Amino acid sequence: EMEAKYTRKMQALRDELDLRRKTELHELEERKNTQISELMGNHEGAFGTIKNYYNDITAKNLTLINLLKEQVEDLKKKEAVLEKEKAEVLLQNKGLTEPLQEAQELVAELQKKLVHYYRDKEALMSSKAHLKVTQKELKDLQWEHEVLEQRFSKVQEERDELYQKFTRAINEVQQKTGFKNLLLERKLQGLLELLEKKEVELSEVLAASNLDPSALSLVTHKLEDVLQSKNATIQDLQFQLARVCKAHNDMLKTFEAKLTAFGIPLDNLGFQPLSFPFPGQ
């Protein structure tokens, strides 16, 4: 553009100078011809004046020509300067071509990044909305967690209280059951010893009395009645003992089921519950 601009300016200046020179030359020619005609018409007397005038005009024209030559030289110098500037501008353009290409590639890459940016921005907005929903769900879960912790604390307190009650009940039942079993066993042992003693005494009485067979049969029958009564008493005591043992074992199973339901290991009792065997086992 600069080269074209200065070329147009130079061409216009040249055309203007050529036109001015031609115009001035044409005017000079017309003036000269007019003067020549006037001089030739005014006789030879005015030839000297015309000659002097013509000489002045020639001198002016020479001066003008020299001035125009100087202007042409200046224009040539300016043209050389413009050519040099043109070469520098071309060199600069050549040096800027590679950065321009890099800049264009950078613009294309930035445009791609801009597309990804809008896409990431939409994804970020979606993630923020999902985060709000997740935070709300987290708050709800935290609230439920606090409620569950309170309920868990309450259940733990109930479990500890139940464990204490269970321990006391186990100890009481074991003491009562053990004491009752001991009494029943002692009573049963006493009855057996009494029965053996009575049988021995009866044998001694029968041996010493020399009773007749009918009386002996009567005594034997009464003795059998007494033995049946005692056996019934013994069976009743054994039945009571079995019922107490079964109640004790059922109570242990119930407590073990409750401990399992509350998630308490059976090893945490601190003692081994005594399971009574049934009579005859």
Side-chain angles (χ1 to χ4, degrees):
E1 288 177 356
M2 292 174 65
E3 180 182 5
K5 180 179 177 182
Y6 283 110
T7 302
R8 288 194 300 271
K9 284 185 177 181
M10 264 187 355
Q11 187 64 35
L13 186 59
R14 284 177 179 176
D15 295 338
E16 183 181 358
L17 291 176
D18 289 337
L19 180 60
R20 185 185 299 176
R21 183 172 59 81
K22 289 179 181 180
T23 302
E24 289 176 355
L25 288 175
H26 183 68
E27 290 177 356
L28 287 175
E29 288 292 333
E30 289 180 353
R31 197 178 302 168
K32 182 181 71 173
N33 292 330
T34 303
Q35 289 177 358
I36 290 173
S37 297
E38 289 178 355
L39 288 173
M40 290 177 67
N42 291 328
H43 306 290
E44 292 295 334
F47 179 74
T49 303
I50 293 172
K51 186 177 179 180
N52 292 331
Y53 179 76
Y54 183 74
N55 290 333
D56 293 336
I57 294 298
T58 304
K60 289 180 179 180
N61 288 333
L62 290 175
T63 302
L64 181 60
I65 290 171
N66 292 328
L67 180 61
L68 292 174
K69 286 182 179 180
E70 292 177 358
Q71 290 180 356
V72 170
E73 291 295 329
D74 292 337
L75 290 174
K76 287 182 178 181
K77 290 179 180 180
K78 290 181 179 180
E79 184 178 3
V81 172
L82 292 175
E83 289 290 338
K84 186 177 179 180
E85 291 179 355
K86 173 186 173 183
E88 292 178 355
V89 170
L90 290 175
L91 184 62
Q92 291 178 359
N93 289 337
K94 186 177 180 181
L96 292 174
T97 301
E98 185 176 354
L100 177 62
Q101 186 177 0
E102 293 178 356
Q104 289 176 349
E105 294 177 355
L106 180 61
V107 168
E109 185 177 358
L110 291 175
Q111 287 178 348
K112 292 180 180 179
K113 288 184 178 180
L114 183 62
V115 174
H116 291 300
Y117 167 74
Y118 287 130
R119 190 178 302 165
D120 294 340
K121 186 176 180 181
E122 293 178 357
L124 179 61
M125 293 177 65
S126 177
S127 299
K128 285 183 177 179
H130 183 66
L131 179 61
K132 289 182 179 179
V133 175
T134 306
Q135 287 178 347
K136 185 177 182 302
E137 292 178 353
L138 178 61
K139 289 181 180 179
D140 295 338
L141 290 175
Q142 287 177 348
W143 181 78
E144 292 180 359
H145 179 68
E146 291 178 359
V147 172
L148 290 175
E149 280 186 347
Q150 294 176 0
R151 292 177 61 185
F152 178 71
S153 300
K154 186 176 180 181
V155 169
Q156 279 186 333
E157 293 176 358
E158 293 178 355
R159 183 201 65 182
D160 295 338
E161 184 179 357
L162 181 61
Y163 177 73
Q164 294 175 0
K165 289 181 180 180
F166 170 73
T167 304
R168 289 195 299 269
I170 286 292
N171 293 330
E172 292 176 358
V173 168
Q174 283 185 342
Q175 291 177 0
K176 292 179 180 180
T177 306
F179 182 71
K180 191 172 182 179
N181 288 339
L182 182 61
L183 290 178
L184 291 174
E185 288 178 356
R186 288 183 178 179
K187 188 175 180 180
L188 181 60
Q189 186 66 30
L191 292 174
L192 291 174
E193 291 177 356
L194 180 61
L195 178 59
E196 290 177 357
K197 185 177 180 181
K198 292 298 183 179
E199 287 179 351
V200 172
E201 290 178 354
L202 179 60
S203 298
E204 291 177 354
V205 169
L206 291 175
S209 60
N210 292 321
L211 296 174
D212 56 353
S214 59
L216 182 60
S217 176
L218 180 61
V219 172
T220 303
H221 182 69
K222 289 182 179 181
L223 182 59
E224 287 178 356
D225 292 339
V226 172
L227 289 175
Q228 288 179 359
S229 176
K230 296 299 182 181
N231 289 331
T233 304
I234 291 172
Q235 289 179 357
D236 184 56
L237 291 174
Q238 288 178 347
F239 176 75
Q240 292 181 10
L241 180 61
R243 184 174 59 187
V244 171
C245 292
K246 185 178 184 303
H248 175 74
N249 294 334
D250 292 341
M251 181 190 65
L252 286 179
K253 291 181 181 179
T254 302
F255 281 135
E256 289 176 356
K258 288 293 183 182
L259 289 177
T260 305
F262 282 103
I264 303 174
L266 299 179
D267 297 337
N268 291 345
L269 289 176
F271 62 91
Q272 182 66 30
L274 181 60
S275 178
F276 293 102
F278 294 105
Q281 292 181 351

